[in-house]
Amino acid sequence: MLEEIKTPEGGSVIKIPIEDEVKQAYIDYSMSVIVQRALPDVRDGLKPVHRRIMYAMDTLHLASGGKTKKCATIVGEVLGHYHPHGDASVYDALVRLGQDFAQRYTTVTPQGNFGTIGGDPAAAYRYTEAKMSKITEEMVNDISKDTVDMIPNFDDTTKEPAVLPGAFPFLLCNGTTGIAVGMATNMPTHNLREVASAIGAYIDNPDITIDELMHYIKGPDFPTGGIIYGTSGIKKAYSTGRGKITIRSKFTIETAKNGKESIVFTEVPYGVNTTNIIKRIKELNRDKQIEGISDANDESSDRSGMRLVVELKKGAITKIVLNQLFSKTDLQSNFGVINLALVPQVKEGVPPRYDEPGYLTLPQTYLKPEVLNLKQLIMHFVNHRNEVITRRSIYDLKVAKHRMHILEALITAINNIDEVIKIIKESRDTETAKLALAKRFGFDDEQTQAIVDMQLKRLTHLQIEDLQKEIKELQAWIDYLQDLLDHPEKILQLIKDDTNKLAEKYGDDRRTDIVHDEVEEINVEDMIKDEDMVVMVSRLGYVKRVSVSKYKKQGRGGTGSNSTNLLEDDYVNQLFIGSTKDYLLFITNVGRAYWVRLHEIPESEKNSRGAHIKGLLQVGPDEEITTIVSLKEFSDDIYLFMITAKGIVKKVRSSEFINAKTKGIIGLKLNDGDKLISAIQTNGSSEVMLISRRGKALRITEDAVRTMGRASCGIKGMKLSEGDEIASAVKVTENENIILITEKGFGKRISFDLFNNHGRGTGGQRIFGNTESKGEIIGALSIKDSDELVCMTSQGKTLRVKSTDIKEQGQGASGVSIVKISEPDYLVGIDKVQDKKDE
């Protein structure tokens, strides 16, 4: 029990323990912050400051179709009448309502500098202007019809709304964020069309589940776009009111004329500062925490939209840079959903009433913070609109009945106009006339006042018809309102119709994409331009890719142009052409297989050395790349037909190599002194031509070779003469020819039709004559007339020629000069640039 102490003046003081007083004072302060500042009301979705801004703009008549007014005027109105706090907090709230990167649907139409997504602040409120948007008009519409409770303002000089009528589902569509005492709210934005559909589905079926609601509301839809990865966080947030949603920036890969690539981010996660992102990228690049970036800039503008450009160094692997950017900057961020809002609670008994400013008290309810799921958010909106429409209908019905009451008296008076005029003329004054009319016709005071105020022009025939028409229309309106109040389900249907109309007027397409799979790594291949690249591998292990477009077409017999800068004693021993999106399967001299995506090989200039293969693949110290195979995919239906220098062949499914990646796996067991020469893609039953260095060719069918495992040795494919070995192998293709080329730069075209199918293990037929003087065959291709040929020498000179420039000859012919070569240089490889129209 508290102790009471008498004071000398005759008063009394009650002694209270200090800890109890501090505790109660802190609770009072906490509730004031929670209710009056930090958390939104679930009904209209607004914090007090936002509600007061909208109401103040309405009282200032700042309609969407009218002129704007200085923000200083709006802030002054809010401060002077409704919000006794700092002007900066009010102006900041006003500015945020007008920022299209902060609000999914802006509720303030700004004029002037309202800040940027890069963190630039808004201009001072003496410079900027604003007015209500059309959506704000939907929020305050019908407020004069007793649709919401009006409560005293802070100094009891005027009234303010406890909540707005809020036809627009502000909380779901625009979300909110706020930090109170011991609690916080962080609610995402959504698409109005989806929200309207979900509200309609809830009205049609109040027992609808959250999973069913998610058929309508797919997930948050942020004003800044971006990509949401995974739906588990969305489902948890909608089910429990709390969840974590991962958002990544949208980007494209651009390639400049000089070959350098740039990553261009066109959308960023909600709430991030683009200036800070660029600053962070530059810090990470300076500190070498991200390799491969040459520069980063914000090139955004009103015309081009958002453009955060990260320029990459030559040879940088885009995929690696992207993943580092996502992991170390706000280009990927998590949105922590906390659906905390103030929910009206029905009072039990008579609770304590606080009359001091700063406490919100309602006649029948009080507000309590609650974490809400998706269905509860929709339910509270519908309940609020139900109450608003009910109160509006009661108000309209009251006004209509009052007007009908007056009209009935006027019609009665007109029908008895002579008697009415006589009564009025004989009366001493107005009050006497009113009493006489009331006694004669049974009118009340309002009716008699309307009659004595009636003008003589109302006695015209047209005016009488207007009164009768008004009575008819008014009766229909009264019947409608009464029917609405008698049937609650019709009010719910009206809520549904009103919300759908809002969606039609103000709705737009979804901006934020949702990827349903929980993805850890971005599939950047989809963003990379599909183009042909020349891949070169040197004896010492340097590898690079160069765009085919950088090799100019030349005539047959030229010397070629320099294409690489080699170390002393190094030379190019592999040449390959493939698409940037291909898988490149590298097979070494010891039979191990590795693969990378072609775009992961650093792109270089023609005269550069490139990067070492060990930076991409974990190749052993004694391994050399002997064969490169291009694959669109790894599949059981795609086979690799392998041929060694000693004529051993093997057929294996490409799916066997899916786990090779950078560490490598055994692809072929080789005999001593043997090495893999070629591996070509087939369907498992193709015809294959084996070609030896000394000009022999054997045409066989794959059916003669059974499918084997990766670690098997293979079987005899072609019988070779002493000192001869396999140079190449090609798949026999209809409507194509073979192109052969020798180490001394001679070559020819020859038809497949000149060769018959022979049994496996035989010696084959002559395909090239006089290899002693023209040089041994080093390569062969199956080629169409529309294709082009790229040849490369050991010293890095390249020549690009049309296939039709090379003469078609018979079996014994020794070819024509294709590339002029001076010793000690020699030709090491050929490949083709395929005509894309034929693919």
Side-chain angles (χ1 to χ4, degrees), residues 18 22 114 138 174 188 192 254 295 317 374 389 418 503 583 603 619 641 652 697 726 739 749 814:
I18 184 67
V22 170
F114 265 54
E138 303 287 353
N174 273 343
L192 176 57
E254 294 183 359
D295 200 4
I317 301 174
L374 178 62
I389 293 175
D418 294 335
Y583 293 89
E603 186 173 3
V619 179
F641 193 82
V652 61
I726 296 294
I739 277 192
R749 281 192 301 150
S814 302

Side-chain angles (χ1 to χ4, degrees), residues 126-170:
R126 63 182 177 273
Y127 301 119
T128 57
E129 298 182 1
K131 62 181 178 180
M132 292 190 293
S133 70
K134 291 183 178 180
I135 285 177
T136 305
E137 291 178 349
E138 303 287 353
M139 294 290 294
V140 299
N141 213 10
D142 298 326
I143 198 169
S144 61
K145 293 186 177 182
D146 194 31
T147 51
V148 295
D149 293 327
M150 301 297 289
I151 59 175
N153 70 336
F154 64 91
D155 61 357
D156 209 12
T157 58
T158 187
K159 298 281 187 178
E160 64 173 306
V163 64
L164 294 184
F168 174 73
F170 186 94

Side-chain angles (χ1 to χ4, degrees), residues 462-480:
L462 191 60
Q463 289 288 329
I464 294 172
E465 286 183 351
D466 288 344
L467 285 175
Q468 291 172 339
K469 182 181 178 181
E470 184 180 356
I471 287 177
K472 186 177 179 180
E473 292 175 350
L474 199 58
Q475 187 59 53
W477 176 237
I478 290 172
D479 292 343
Y480 168 76

Side-chain angles (χ1 to χ4, degrees), residues 569-584:
D569 297 329
D570 194 12
Y571 57 85
V572 175
N573 62 0
Q574 287 289 321
L575 171 72
F576 180 82
I577 297 176
S579 166
T580 48
K581 295 190 176 184
D582 286 351
Y583 293 89
L584 287 192

Side-chain angles (χ1 to χ4, degrees), residues 431-492:
E431 288 301 320
T432 305
K434 288 172 63 179
L435 290 173
L437 289 171
K439 183 178 180 180
R440 169 63 183 87
F441 296 103
F443 294 150
D444 60 21
D445 186 65
E446 285 186 338
Q447 290 176 314
T448 55
Q449 185 65 46
I451 292 171
V452 298
D453 290 341
M454 186 174 61
Q455 297 175 334
L456 288 176
K457 69 178 182 179
R458 301 297 292 271
L459 301 179
T460 65
H461 182 71
L462 191 60
Q463 289 288 329
I464 294 172
E465 286 183 351
D466 288 344
L467 285 175
Q468 291 172 339
K469 182 181 178 181
E470 184 180 356
I471 287 177
K472 186 177 179 180
E473 292 175 350
L474 199 58
Q475 187 59 53
W477 176 237
I478 290 172
D479 292 343
Y480 168 76
L481 293 172
Q482 191 61 57
D483 183 63
L484 203 61
L485 292 170
D486 291 342
H487 299 87
E489 68 277 5
K490 292 187 177 181
I491 294 180
L492 292 175

Side-chain angles (χ1 to χ4, degrees), residues 520-797:
E520 291 297 329
E521 301 292 333
I522 274 286
N523 185 17
V524 297
E525 288 81 11
D526 294 338
M527 304 293 180
I528 291 173
K529 182 181 178 181
D530 188 1
E531 61 177 326
D532 283 337
M533 291 282 175
V534 176
V535 179
M536 288 169 274
V537 184
S538 75
R539 182 184 68 85
L540 295 181
Y542 287 93
V543 61
K544 70 174 183 178
R545 65 180 170 101
V546 180
S547 175
V548 166
S549 61
K550 295 185 178 180
Y551 295 93
K552 295 180 179 180
K553 297 175 185 177
Q554 297 168 277
R556 178 180 63 81
T559 58
S561 59
N562 287 328
S563 294
T564 189
N565 181 19
L566 297 168
L567 293 172
E568 189 176 354
D569 297 329
D570 194 12
Y571 57 85
V572 175
N573 62 0
Q574 287 289 321
L575 171 72
F576 180 82
I577 297 176
S579 166
T580 48
K581 295 190 176 184
D582 286 351
Y583 293 89
L584 287 192
L585 185 66
F586 295 88
I587 303 175
T588 69
N589 57 333
V590 297
R592 288 189 69 82
Y594 309 79
W595 67 259
V596 294
R597 301 302 290 266
L598 192 148
H599 67 80
E600 293 176 349
I601 297 174
E603 186 173 3
S604 307
E605 292 296 330
K606 283 177 61 178
N607 57 359
S608 70
R609 185 178 302 130
H612 203 277
I613 193 71
K614 290 185 178 179
L616 297 172
L617 311 172
Q618 297 181 20
V619 179
D622 298 326
E623 288 185 88
E624 294 180 11
I625 303 296
T626 59
T627 305
I628 306 174
V629 186
S630 169
L631 293 166
K632 296 295 182 185
E633 60 178 337
F634 294 99
S635 168
D636 288 341
D637 298 326
I638 299 175
Y639 291 80
L640 292 181
F641 193 82
M642 300 180 176
I643 306 96
T644 71
K646 292 184 177 182
I648 302 298
V649 296
K650 172 184 170 181
K651 183 172 70 175
V652 61
R653 288 184 173 88
S654 64
S655 58
E656 296 272 352
F657 297 91
I658 195 168
N659 294 322
K661 198 45 175 147
T662 54
K663 292 185 178 180
I665 55 177
I666 292 295
L668 174 68
K669 189 174 181 181
L670 293 168
N671 297 320
D672 290 341
D674 202 1
K675 64 179 181 179
L676 186 69
I677 294 298
S678 181
I680 56 179
Q681 280 189 65
T682 68
N683 59 15
S685 58
S686 304
E687 284 190 304
V688 178
M689 186 88 81
L690 310 182
I691 301 164
S692 76
R693 291 182 65 87
R694 293 185 178 177
K696 298 296 288 291
L698 175 65
R699 180 173 177 171
I700 64 171
T701 178
E702 274 193 284
D703 293 333
V705 182
R706 63 179 177 83
T707 302
M708 306 176 193
R710 283 188 298 103
S712 61
C713 297
I715 56 177
K716 190 71 173 179
M718 181 176 180
K719 183 179 179 181
L720 298 169
S721 59
E722 187 176 351
D724 198 6
E725 63 181 28
I726 296 294
S728 184
V730 296
K731 183 169 71 172
V732 178
T733 307
E734 189 177 352
N735 299 323
E736 293 192 10
N737 291 333
I738 309 172
I739 277 192
L740 304 168
I741 196 161
T742 71
E743 58 189 352
K744 292 185 179 181
F746 290 86
K748 71 176 183 180
R749 281 192 301 150
I750 188 169
S751 173
F752 283 112
D753 296 336
L754 298 178
F755 300 89
N756 299 320
N757 198 321
H758 288 71
R760 178 181 58 80
T762 59
Q765 303 168 255
R766 171 63 58 184
I767 194 171
F768 198 93
N770 195 14
T771 56
E772 292 80 7
S773 63
K774 303 290 185 175
E776 292 186 346
I777 296 171
I778 57 92
L781 291 173
S782 173
I783 199 164
K784 294 189 288 289
D785 288 348
S786 57
D787 292 337
E788 295 174 353
L789 188 70
V790 175
C791 312
M792 176 165 284
T793 72
S794 63
Q795 297 305 308
K797 289 187 176 182

